[in-house]
Amino acid sequence: MKEEALDTHHKALKINLDTRWYGTLAEIGAGQEVVRWFFRVGGAAGTVAKSISAYDMTVSDAIYGSGDRYVSRTRVQAMLDREFSLNLERLEDKRGDTTAFFAFADTVVARSFKGGNECHGWMGVKFQSRPRDEPSQILIHVRMLDAEASLQQEALGVVGVNLLFGAFFLHHEPELLVESLLDKLTTGRIEIDVIEFRGIEFRSVDNRLISLKLVQLGLSGAAMFGPNREVLQPSEILYKKAVLVERGSFRPPTHVNFDMLHCALEKFTADPDVAGKPVLPIFELTMRNLLAGGSEVDRRDFLARADLLAACGMTVLISDYFEYYRLAAYISWRTKERIGIVMGAPSLTELFDERYYTQLPGGILESFGRLFKYNLKLYVYPLKNPDSTLTTVENLEVAPELKKLYGYLADRGSFVGLDNFKPEYLPIFSRDVLRKIAVGDESWVEMVPPEVAALIRERRFFGWKG
């Protein structure tokens, strides 16, 4: 039977019948849903050295160390490290020459009896790909979308088997491994918004590309990573923070991109509902922008933009939410604090183009209802026109039939004009920087932050030849 045709039963059986891997499965929260598959299909004695489920918090702390949160990256990491080291300590002398050891762990909160809680969990596997090898590791964060706890538990068991099968048999093809995680499931049942590869088998893997793959495949609507290139779990990063997000191509990021953000931050933090609270500024790239009309993302181009934003200390969000109301919904689900979106005047004009809302039964009215129900505000940066006049929120033109709608939103304070801009930055556009780089005009250096210019030169991004 071909590997791509294997169902969960046959995946678990194939692992059980392979004498190379032997280890521990530790599960907290939703039951022993993953190890149950290995016991069910038969032959588990060849795979399972130990299964453990430390439900009681005091018991769990005694085994893995105390912590503030039990469904967290730190807890699943403690579980993996503890169980993997115990396997080596207890079994390596006896069977280390012929056995590749592993530890699987998950810590999950499924739907409670009363309902209403977030249903999610961390899951991971730490494993040797061959006997006495250095360990490699895969961590994922899952959100369970089924309405019933029993269905969530079932889905969790399937994902766990898929993860173990992928680690053992597909670790040499990380992208194929990612694609296999939802075998026999759908994105309507499980969302995977974080995946992280580490260790010797994945030393050449860039986790930002893997995060991008999650969004491309529809396994998650968005992925996030920080200035140090680390993959971030959005719910943890956005929790209890006011969020200011700027969408753009950032190809490359210019002075005007950062002036937009700084101007908006000044206004945003002065808002009484935001003052004194932690604020997270984010630069967002949409999949539509990254695809640029094609069917495949240019990975070198994507990493260039990601590295340039990281060099400037920015948190980056990759999303499949072209419509602003979907982006707002994604963020508002993860924080109850104020949300602001930064955009240029041309983007605000596009926002009032009814062609973008034909898929909504309520058209443009429904889109604005969804967007502004979160008490969200748009921070609008002016556009300098060829005649040197400025297009701002005060004089922006929309279709005649939409002027009253525009006036209503303006009167309720939905638009905040950014009048604290630096005039010398207004003529700067990323496309002009790229054109100057292409023809060897070094004046582009004055159009971008010093960190951006230095990295473009160092790594010869965007065809820079020097």
Side-chain angles (χ1 to χ4, degrees):
M1 182 176 288
K2 294 182 180 179
E3 290 183 354
E4 58 267 30
L6 293 179
D7 60 17
T8 312
H9 177 101
H10 287 93
K11 282 187 177 183
L13 184 60
K14 181 170 180 177
I15 293 172
N16 276 353
L17 297 180
D18 195 310
T19 58
R20 286 174 290 178
W21 288 283
Y22 193 64
T24 297
L25 290 90
E27 302 181 73
I28 297 176
Q32 293 195 284
E33 305 305 322
V34 179
V35 77
R36 183 177 292 130
W37 273 103
F38 296 99
F39 289 135
R40 183 188 303 168
V41 300
T47 299
V48 183
K50 179 181 74 176
S51 68
I52 182 172
S53 187
Y55 278 91
D56 184 86
M57 292 181 181
T58 303
V59 172
S60 182
D61 285 348
I63 299 172
Y64 303 116
S66 60
D68 296 329
R69 302 177 68 186
Y70 291 88
V71 181
S72 66
R73 184 196 296 254
T74 53
R75 174 49 54 123
V76 78
Q77 188 65 61
M79 295 168 70
L80 290 171
D81 292 342
R82 172 69 173 162
E83 298 300 343
F84 186 81
S85 63
L86 283 177
N87 283 334
L88 296 186
E89 178 185 320
R90 294 167 175 170
L91 299 168
E92 190 172 35
D93 289 344
K94 181 179 180 181
R95 53 187 298 174
D97 291 335
T98 57
T99 302
F101 296 107
F102 76 90
F104 171 90
D106 63 49
T107 174
V108 180
V109 54
R111 184 168 299 279
S112 68
F113 181 74
K114 295 181 180 179
N117 59 298
E118 181 184 5
C119 306
H120 71 113
W122 285 92
M123 177 182 290
V125 56
K126 188 172 184 176
F127 66 100
Q128 296 172 320
S129 58
R130 56 191 62 84
R132 299 200 183 277
D133 201 1
E134 294 179 35
S136 301
Q137 179 176 290
I138 309 169
L139 279 185
I140 65 174
H141 179 265
V142 301
R143 291 182 60 232
M144 296 168 289
L145 308 179
D146 285 312
E148 298 178 18
S150 60
L151 293 175
Q152 292 179 356
Q153 292 170 329
E154 175 190 89
L156 192 73
V158 173
V159 174
V161 173
N162 288 341
L163 178 59
L164 281 165
F165 186 88
F168 297 158
F169 299 107
L170 302 174
H171 56 261
H172 56 291
E173 296 183 88
E175 292 202 8
L176 186 58
L177 190 160
V178 172
E179 292 180 22
S180 74
L181 289 176
L182 288 197
D183 283 355
K184 306 308 173 184
L185 291 171
T186 67
T187 53
R189 298 191 66 188
I190 288 284
E191 177 185 284
I192 301 174
D193 59 5
V194 173
I195 185 164
E196 180 186 83
F197 291 87
R198 286 165 47 189
I200 189 169
E201 287 295 337
F202 307 120
R203 56 193 178 276
S204 61
V205 172
D206 190 316
N207 282 302
R208 294 172 301 173
L209 286 176
I210 298 299
S211 297
L212 178 64
K213 186 73 173 179
L214 287 179
V215 182
Q216 280 184 283
L217 293 171
L219 299 183
S220 176
M224 182 181 286
F225 40 86
N228 297 324
R229 302 172 62 167
E230 74 274 28
V231 178
L232 304 175
Q233 204 276 305
S235 294
E236 291 183 353
I237 301 302
L238 298 173
Y239 183 64
K240 289 188 176 181
K241 291 186 180 73
V243 178
L244 187 65
V245 57
E246 178 180 336
R247 172 176 290 180
S249 66
F250 311 115
R251 190 177 185 265
T254 66
H255 282 308
V256 74
N257 295 128
F258 289 96
D259 194 43
M260 288 174 67
L261 187 67
H262 294 154
C263 293
L265 268 173
E266 189 175 306
K267 302 274 189 182
F268 189 61
T269 53
D271 188 313
D273 289 336
V274 178
K277 295 179 180 178
V279 175
L280 178 66
I282 297 173
F283 276 174
E284 183 224 10
L285 289 154
T286 66
M287 284 303 304
R288 184 173 296 194
N289 181 287
L290 290 171
L291 291 169
S295 58
E296 293 295 331
V297 174
D298 183 334
R299 297 185 175 197
R300 177 178 169 80
D301 178 82
F302 163 69
L303 288 178
R305 291 191 254 181
D307 284 340
L308 291 170
L309 292 173
C312 297
M314 293 306 304
T315 299
V316 178
L317 180 72
I318 307 296
S319 90
D320 200 25
Y321 303 127
F322 172 71
E323 300 87 356
Y324 280 105
Y325 65 83
R326 295 181 65 210
L327 173 65
Y330 177 85
I331 297 173
S332 68
W333 194 84
R334 290 156 177 83
T335 181
K336 301 306 178 187
E337 302 299 336
R338 180 62 67 88
I339 301 169
I341 296 178
V342 190
M343 62 175 60
S347 295
L348 183 58
T349 301
E350 283 192 356
L351 203 62
F352 278 82
D353 190 331
E354 294 191 88
R355 291 177 301 172
Y356 295 122
Y357 311 111
T358 55
Q359 80 284 6
L360 290 177
I364 193 170
L365 290 176
E366 181 177 344
S367 74
F368 281 131
R370 292 188 184 191
L371 178 61
F372 292 112
K373 76 174 184 178
Y374 305 106
N375 202 19
L376 173 146
K377 290 185 178 182
L378 303 180
Y379 294 80
V380 184
Y381 195 78
L383 171 69
K384 187 174 184 179
N385 301 308
D387 61 0
S388 295
T389 61
L390 296 182
T391 299
T392 67
V393 292
E394 285 77 24
N395 62 11
L396 186 136
E397 289 292 326
V398 298
E401 63 272 19
L402 297 176
K403 285 186 176 180
K404 288 186 177 180
L405 173 61
Y406 184 90
Y408 163 74
L409 292 171
D411 290 344
R412 74 189 291 271
S414 299
F415 310 138
V416 179
L418 299 178
D419 54 8
N420 50 340
F421 58 89
K422 292 186 177 181
E424 64 270 26
Y425 290 159
L426 290 180
I428 296 176
F429 292 93
S430 293
R431 61 177 179 269
D432 294 330
V433 175
L434 291 176
R435 180 179 55 79
K436 289 175 182 288
I437 290 175
V439 300
D441 181 349
E442 286 297 294
S443 63
W444 68 267
V445 173
E446 304 301 321
M447 303 167 74
V448 301
E451 304 92 333
V452 172
L455 201 57
I456 288 176
R457 286 169 156 170
E458 177 188 336
R459 301 191 186 175
R460 299 182 176 271
F461 287 153
F462 310 119
W464 185 81
K465 296 180 175 62

